Amino acid sequence: MLEFNPQLIVFFLFAILTLGGALGVVTNRNLIHGAIYLIISLFGGAGLFVLLSAPFLAAVQVLVYIGAIAILIIFAVMLTRSMTSMRELYNRQWWISAVVAVLLFGLLVLGVIGPVWVADEEASQPVSDLVATTQDLGVALVDGNQYVLPFEIASLLLTAAMIGAIVIAREDD
Amino acid sequence: MEAQCINILETLAPCLVRGGMDPGLAQFLSIAAGVLIVSAIPLVSVIIFIWIERKIAARVQDRLGPNRVGPFGILQNLADAVKLIIKEDITPAGADRLIYNAAPIIAMLSVILIWGVVPFTPVHIGADLDIGVVYVVAIGSVGTLAIMMAGWSSNNKYALLGAFRVVAALVSYEVPMIVALLVPLMLAGTMSMQGIVEAQQGMWFVVAAPIAAVIFYISNLAETGRAPFDLIEAESELVAGYNIEYSGMKFGLFMASEFLHSFTVNLLFAIIFLGGWSGPFVHQLPILGVVYLAIKSLIPYLFTIVLRSTVPRVRIDQMMAFNWKFLVPVSIINVLLVAFVLKIIQELGLSPSPENVHDFAANVPQAVILLATNLLMGLVTLNVLRNAGRRERIADQARALRTAEQRDSAIVPSAS
């Protein structure tokens, strides 16, 4: 049923990286190792973006998540020495995160499977028409009819967060 | 469209097919050869780069430099490489073995992967991605990770301190670099590396965007750990920095990746601001593009080397202050200004149309206006800097005077 082609092999490779890395994050006691596993997982995600012909998202994934966020996580962990050698794997809130994770997973599965399950002939489009280019993405972010408002709100939020960080970090003088 | 076999250098796959090979296999072979060549060129040429750097640094310091192995000592680095390979490979006690061993590989990888999108000639490019520039920036940020991994896994406080300092600097200097890159992207209207070079056929971007070029160059000096920003290996303060525990070829990989990175960013400078492979007769004989590109990237590279052997190292706080209080604001204002002026130029119809973008004369009005804008902004910036410097100096003198007075008044009673 599954056709054997190189793309499939690459997909499984990246899927294993993503899932294996994610598993490593939650099962590892050493926080630095956890952060490295997180990077592996994110890298797998970037690979999946490439397979979905979204190279821009892949590059941004590497730039923002690996190049900035993961580095900051490692930085923070290293600066707090006691965090690098944690003894226990779970804390008391494990069940809350378990519930949230299961709910989120259920939602995602519904979101992905749902449209396929109830697909009718009219709504289904060939995938080739749906593939958006980087240019489409750029236009969509500044088009008044599309996502310009969420885009601006997100920018404002980030700026506010940045100013807030500066205010917190500033010494009183 | 079936590609035609014109010339084995430019169209390898169609030529192999004509020679009676299976098309799929020919395609695979052609791509494999490309990957091999693109990743081998930097690894081999780094030997030459290190030699050039050692020779020039020696001349600046009134020495001869390597001159024993081969003509002009050009084979010295091969000998060094052999030495590094046969040295004992030591892993410090308490080191995190896996991360410790992976770090040098990632450091090298983060540089070599950049070469995948470098347009060597009009037809030779590893992959002409739509998002070439974003790819370059993204891959570059992985290098920071390698330093962090090396510093932490070595289980050495100097390595860790060095890594902290370097990462803080690298992450900061990424900001003005990326913001400065926006200017050529606006001028080219594309993020593809090949597209950026094509857009400079009429006029190099260094003419229209000199401030962006200078900011890009300075932040690249910091990104690659070159003087005056060579805190990455401050021998006198941190023994060596993040790579202190590494020996043998693992250290060699770090060293090679550092030299190679330094050349690679100058290569990017040549592509983005100096017109890349463009030059006379390049469309008739594409392979000439490699020569032009090499010459263009060697000019800023030589400047980098001379700079490295002549200027002192700045302190970390000076480095950070220079970045956040000078480079970042200037680059942001520059982007806003250029975007504004560029839009006015386009509204006035002075910018070159897509048809005559290769024509020198058509590019002149836009380039002249942008150059004037840049010069004006440069003058204002220098003036602001001079005033700030004067204020600082006056305050400094007043402080010195005050302390001198206090000392005098303290001395006089005791003497009487």
Side-chain angles (χ1 to χ4, degrees):
Chain A
M1 185 184 125
L2 274 174
E3 201 183 323
F4 179 81
N5 58 1
Q7 203 165 357
L8 202 66
I9 300 174
V10 177
F11 169 76
F12 276 112
L13 202 70
F14 282 128
I16 290 170
L17 277 184
T18 313
L19 292 178
L23 208 63
V25 174
V26 290
T27 55
N28 223 296
R29 279 166 207 241
N30 187 322
L31 274 181
I32 298 272
H33 285 179
I36 302 276
Y37 275 119
L38 179 65
I39 288 168
I40 293 174
S41 177
L42 292 169
F43 182 77
L48 292 177
F49 276 131
V50 171
L51 281 181
L52 290 169
S53 16
F56 180 73
L57 288 182
V60 167
Q61 170 104 343
V62 173
L63 178 63
V64 174
Y65 285 93
I66 297 180
I69 293 183
I71 299 256
L72 276 186
I73 291 177
I74 296 182
F75 219 86
V77 172
M78 283 182 186
L79 283 174
T80 45
R81 183 169 279 271
S82 59
M83 298 283 280
T84 47
S85 50
M86 298 273 274
R87 284 276 161 269
E88 57 278 341
L89 201 50
Y90 306 105
N91 64 11
R92 268 171 300 169
Q93 292 158 351
W94 67 270
W95 60 274
I96 303 178
S97 34
V99 168
V100 171
V102 168
L103 276 180
L104 185 65
F105 183 70
L107 266 176
L108 286 176
V109 167
L110 272 182
V112 173
I113 306 257
V116 180
W117 213 255
V118 295
D120 52 76
E121 288 304 310
E122 292 161 41
S124 64
Q125 255 179 306
V127 179
S128 56
D129 289 356
L130 291 171
V131 171
T133 62
T134 310
Q135 219 149 17
D136 293 337
L137 183 69
V139 170
L141 286 181
V142 290
D143 190 345
N145 296 324
Q146 297 188 50
Y147 301 105
V148 69
L149 192 64
F151 180 66
E152 290 297 331
I153 290 175
S155 322
L156 202 66
L157 190 69
L158 288 177
T159 315
M162 207 154 66
I163 294 171
I166 293 172
V167 169
I168 292 173
R170 213 168 67 146
E171 296 165 25
D172 294 320
D173 43 34
Chain B
M1 193 188 79
E2 193 68 24
Q4 290 297 309
C5 170
I6 305 161
N7 168 336
I8 194 131
L9 271 177
E10 287 153 39
T11 50
L12 181 62
C15 289
L16 288 179
V17 172
R18 205 170 61 172
M21 197 182 267
D22 176 53
L25 186 63
Q27 191 72 25
F28 176 77
L29 276 183
S30 140
I31 292 175
V35 169
L36 205 65
I37 293 172
V38 166
S39 52
I41 289 175
L43 284 175
V44 174
S45 52
V46 71
I47 292 177
I48 310 287
F49 298 144
I50 297 181
W51 177 77
I52 294 177
E53 171 138 9
R54 288 176 68 173
K55 269 303 203 195
I56 293 181
R59 288 291 164 173
V60 171
Q61 295 160 0
D62 206 9
R63 294 183 288 122
L64 284 177
N67 60 356
R68 295 286 143 172
V69 193
F72 305 107
I74 198 164
L75 298 178
Q76 178 68 49
N77 287 302
L78 281 179
D80 286 354
V82 171
K83 186 196 89 172
L84 282 174
I85 289 171
I86 59 179
K87 260 177 120 170
E88 188 191 353
D89 177 46
I90 300 168
T91 307
D96 198 306
R97 203 163 275 273
L98 186 66
I99 301 181
Y100 178 81
N101 288 324
I105 301 173
I106 294 180
M108 198 68 199
L109 211 61
S110 74
V111 180
I112 291 187
L113 280 178
I114 294 178
W115 288 61
V117 294
V118 167
F120 294 101
T121 73
V123 287
H124 294 102
I125 178 166
D128 189 16
L129 300 179
D130 271 354
I131 47 138
V133 174
V134 183
Y135 170 85
V136 167
V137 173
I139 294 296
S141 67
V142 175
T144 319
L145 182 68
I147 292 176
M148 205 85 208
M149 286 164 67
W152 179 77
S153 65
S154 297
N155 193 27
N156 176 312
K157 64 183 170 209
Y158 292 112
L160 191 58
L161 275 177
F164 275 145
R165 215 154 77 155
V166 167
V167 170
L170 293 192
V171 170
S172 309
Y173 274 83
E174 245 170 43
V175 176
M177 185 186 82
I178 295 174
V179 176
L181 269 179
L182 286 176
V183 173
L185 293 192
M186 278 193 293
L187 290 171
T190 173
M191 287 197 283
S192 127
M193 297 299 257
Q194 199 67 276
I196 289 175
V197 177
E198 289 283 349
Q200 293 179 81
Q201 297 297 303
M203 178 76 78
W204 294 357
F205 286 160
V206 73
V207 179
I211 290 188
V214 170
I215 292 175
F216 183 70
Y217 186 79
I218 294 177
S219 36
N220 270 334
L221 280 182
E223 282 283 309
T224 54
R226 283 303 165 124
F229 307 111
D230 57 346
L231 297 157
I232 209 163
E233 45 171 330
E235 298 91 344
S236 46
E237 301 152 41
L238 286 171
V239 198
Y242 67 95
N243 54 11
I244 177 174
E245 289 288 357
Y246 283 84
S247 65
M249 203 50 210
K250 284 182 211 155
F251 171 76
L253 272 182
F254 272 123
M255 193 180 74
S257 78
E258 200 191 309
F259 277 102
L260 193 57
H261 196 192
S262 179
F263 181 77
T264 306
V265 294
N266 285 305
L267 187 70
L268 293 175
F269 184 84
I271 292 167
I272 294 169
F273 289 102
L274 300 180
W277 44 255
S278 52
F281 306 115
V282 77
H283 286 287
Q284 284 78 25
L285 189 60
I287 210 75
L288 263 181
V290 182
V291 181
Y292 293 136
L293 185 61
I295 294 172
K296 284 174 188 175
S297 37
L298 272 178
I299 293 169
Y301 183 59
L302 294 182
F303 188 65
T304 309
I305 295 175
V306 175
L307 209 61
R308 184 185 203 185
S309 36
T310 44
V311 292
R313 181 183 301 139
V314 298
R315 286 200 317 262
I316 181 79
D317 61 315
Q318 291 168 333
M319 184 171 172
M320 291 311 231
F322 178 66
N323 179 53
W324 290 110
K325 294 180 184 166
F326 180 69
L327 280 186
V328 171
V330 169
S331 58
I332 289 175
I333 293 172
N334 185 38
V335 165
L336 291 177
L337 200 67
V338 170
F340 184 65
V341 174
L342 197 62
K343 198 70 201 168
I344 292 178
I345 294 174
Q346 279 166 357
E347 290 297 317
L348 292 177
L350 289 174
S351 63
S353 58
E355 293 86 50
N356 60 9
V357 72
H358 291 217
D359 185 18
F360 175 73
N363 279 287
V364 167
Q366 174 179 321
V368 167
I369 298 174
L370 282 177
L371 181 63
T373 316
N374 269 275
L375 286 180
L376 195 71
M377 189 187 153
L379 277 179
V380 171
T381 313
L382 284 182
N383 221 18
V384 169
L385 273 188
R386 196 166 54 220
N387 287 338
R390 187 179 297 148
R391 268 201 306 279
E392 193 88 354
R393 215 161 28 245
I394 290 171
D396 223 35
Q397 276 165 357
R399 212 173 303 128
L401 210 62
R402 233 180 2 259
T403 28
E405 274 167 9
Q406 278 167 4
R407 199 179 48 229
D408 289 347
S409 58
I411 287 169
V412 170
S414 64
S416 59

